Amino acid sequence: MERPLTRNIRPGEEPLEIASYVRAGGYVAVRKALTSMAPQDVIQEVTASNLRGRGGAGFPTGKKWSAVPTGSDVPRPKYLVVNADEMEPGTFKDRMLMEGDPHQLIEGVIISAFAIEATIAYIFLRAEYTLAARRLERAVAEAHAEGYLGRNILGSGFDLELYLHTSAGRYICGEETALLSPLEGKRAIPRAKPPYPQSSGLWGKPTVVNNVETLANVPHIVNRGAEWFRSLARGDEDGGTKIYGASGHVKRPGAWELPMGTTIREILEEHADGMLEGYRFRALLPGGASTGFLLEQDLDVAMDFASMEKAGSRLGTGTMIILDDRTCPIGMLRNLEHFFAQESCGWCTPCRDGLPWTERTLASIEAGKGEPRDLDVLAMHVNFLGPGKTFCAHAPGAMEPLESGLKYFRDDFERHIRDKRCPWR
């Protein structure tokens, strides 16, 4: 099984310095792209590879790049922004890539910037990722010293400056337009779309925002081709591998690079080694906190975008949060909604006021103070905070686990209300 994304990562050890990275085949794709390919050639190869965004939305990467305007009359400079603000609860895949192989990300940034003709790039990094920051800063300096960043890279005529921007720490910055505002020194709030960032993004210039894992795939696609990349996946609609993760009461929590389309059961039972002794599986969130619950009957579903949607959830970040039989599902939901309420940017009323209301209602039920009408109140919030009702996807994402929780754990809600206490306490 090929694992291009993690082949250089050595757990517990320092990442490869640039000389070792080059000896391992690093920056070969940069040389190939900049000296023998046109920007449009790179875009076509990435489009043919079926690479889809690994940040959660799953938008086709080549299609996003193709929307960037070209020509002499296009506003300059163009920007590439790396979304490394990994604050989705239960998600730690990008951290592994940045800490374990920072040059791989930098190489992906260089090629991707070349493809969209961007001359300035930013890595927008989660504030708490201090080790990743130190390793990225060192890697950027090494790449600059060796001529892979700066002016006239490898004599190709292509210029690129890459800057590391450490976030002040807000979950809303995972939304691509909300990420651009703090780069401009403004409050982190989403922007109305259209216009989309590809035409009017950072400081009103054409901008592409891509996730860390997405960009880390690009050098391998350029090196070995779209057909090879598609062959790594188990399905026909997607390409490549995926870094899947599992957290909760499993024997071996962690993250693993596996073929896109690996089943939930394989990840849970073979790689996470199943549940801890004394715990039974009950449900899971397949792609971080903002995805809907799946049950034991769904364990053989493939972890890819289409299969997850058919099963009634989303792939999201591909990092599973496991719910066991000794954990109160209402308590879990309250904890999740507390996070989402706390991280609302406050820009629109349904999200600003509805999420705290949701959290208080769940807390009342968990404390044994709930009333039967509270279930109607929660269902109302699922409706009024759902897709198309708010300014961005923050509140709809928060409603996904709640909507499925009301469906699958109805008996638990009713028991809390009827018995006036939490059975798990």
Side-chain angles (χ1 to χ4, degrees):
M1 182 187 301
E2 294 192 73
R3 294 186 173 91
L5 293 176
T6 56
R7 60 177 185 162
N8 293 331
I9 296 179
R10 303 165 298 174
E13 299 183 31
E14 289 287 315
L16 297 182
E17 296 183 352
I18 193 165
S20 298
Y21 182 75
V22 169
R23 284 196 296 272
Y27 291 110
V28 170
V30 165
R31 190 174 297 276
K32 178 180 179 180
L34 269 58
T35 61
S36 64
M37 300 176 75
Q40 190 58 39
D41 296 333
V42 178
I43 293 177
Q44 289 175 354
E45 195 71 19
V46 170
T47 301
S49 74
N50 291 348
L51 174 64
R52 296 176 64 173
R54 303 302 203 234
F59 193 81
T61 304
K63 185 175 181 180
K64 176 181 274 194
W65 292 1
S66 297
V68 177
T70 58
S72 58
D73 58 341
V74 172
R76 307 277 175 165
K78 296 180 184 179
Y79 295 96
L80 175 69
V81 180
V82 184
N83 185 348
D85 194 66
E86 188 176 50
M87 286 187 66
E88 177 74 8
T91 301
F92 42 90
K93 63 184 182 64
D94 294 342
R95 175 184 177 182
M96 180 175 72
L97 290 172
M98 291 184 288
E99 291 180 356
D101 197 6
H103 277 291
Q104 178 179 232
L105 173 60
I106 293 169
E107 185 172 13
V109 167
I110 297 166
I111 298 168
S112 304
F114 172 73
I116 65 169
E117 301 176 345
T119 54
I120 300 175
Y122 291 93
I123 300 174
F124 191 98
L125 183 68
R126 177 179 175 177
E128 292 82 0
Y129 283 1
T130 54
L131 179 59
R134 291 197 300 271
R135 291 179 174 179
L136 283 166
E137 286 173 346
R138 183 178 65 192
V140 168
E142 289 176 342
H144 215 289
E146 293 297 321
Y148 294 108
L149 290 170
R151 297 188 62 83
N152 193 26
I153 298 172
L154 301 178
S156 66
F158 174 64
D159 305 332
L160 179 66
E161 293 296 338
L162 174 60
Y163 302 99
L164 180 65
H165 177 94
T166 303
S167 166
R170 290 310 303 247
Y171 175 75
I172 195 64
C173 292
E175 200 280 337
E176 64 176 9
T177 63
L179 179 153
L180 299 177
S181 293
L183 275 176
E184 297 177 348
K186 301 172 184 176
R187 177 182 169 189
I189 56 174
R191 302 178 181 182
K193 293 185 288 189
Y196 292 92
Q198 292 96 311
S199 57
S200 180
L202 195 60
W203 290 293
K205 302 298 196 301
T207 304
V208 164
V209 182
N210 280 132
N211 173 258
V212 169
E213 187 184 358
T214 307
L215 295 177
N217 280 287
V218 172
H220 307 293
I221 295 170
V222 169
N223 258 339
R224 304 186 63 178
E227 184 176 352
W228 164 82
F229 190 77
R230 291 195 307 270
S231 73
L232 297 179
R234 292 186 178 173
D236 296 328
E237 296 184 24
D238 300 301
T241 58
K242 176 79 184 75
I243 297 181
Y244 295 108
S247 60
H249 288 117
V250 293
K251 293 178 182 176
R252 187 170 173 253
W256 310 273
E257 183 182 2
L258 301 167
M260 176 66 88
T262 299
T263 65
I264 298 172
R265 187 182 301 278
E266 180 180 333
I267 298 167
L268 178 61
E269 297 181 357
E270 296 184 23
H271 301 283
D273 286 346
M275 303 298 294
L276 284 170
E277 296 299 329
Y279 292 85
R280 291 181 58 192
F281 174 86
R282 188 169 185 195
L284 63 87
L285 300 172
S290 60
T291 57
F293 282 100
L294 295 177
L295 305 178
E296 190 168 6
Q297 66 201 38
D298 302 307
L299 290 182
D300 292 313
V301 173
M303 286 279 278
D304 59 41
F305 296 101
S307 300
M308 284 291 107
E309 186 174 347
K310 290 177 183 176
S313 188
R314 291 186 303 112
L315 178 63
T317 60
T319 47
M320 305 186 299
I321 303 174
I322 311 300
L323 171 66
D324 60 82
D325 64 333
R326 294 169 62 177
T327 299
C328 175
I330 286 76
M332 180 179 180
L333 286 166
R334 179 205 50 78
N335 188 43
L336 293 176
E337 297 308 327
H338 170 76
F339 171 83
F340 290 121
Q342 180 177 265
E343 292 296 332
S344 172
C345 76
W347 184 247
C348 67
T349 303
C351 185
R352 181 187 65 238
D353 295 344
L355 290 177
W357 193 357
T358 299
E359 181 198 351
R360 288 194 298 269
T361 304
L362 288 167
S364 177
I365 295 172
E366 187 189 15
K369 300 177 181 178
E371 301 290 340
R373 64 175 179 270
D374 288 341
L375 299 182
D376 294 328
V377 170
L378 292 173
M380 177 191 73
H381 279 78
V382 167
N383 178 31
F384 285 116
L385 275 69
K389 308 289 181 64
T390 58
F391 197 70
C392 78
H394 177 83
M399 291 299 101
E400 287 198 33
L402 179 59
E403 181 178 20
S404 58
L406 287 169
K407 176 182 178 181
Y408 296 132
F409 310 130
R410 187 81 179 189
D411 290 344
D412 297 284
F413 277 99
E414 292 175 349
R415 185 178 176 188
H416 278 70
I417 293 170
R418 182 183 64 249
D419 296 347
K420 298 296 182 183
R421 67 181 185 88
C422 175
W424 281 268
R425 290 184 177 179

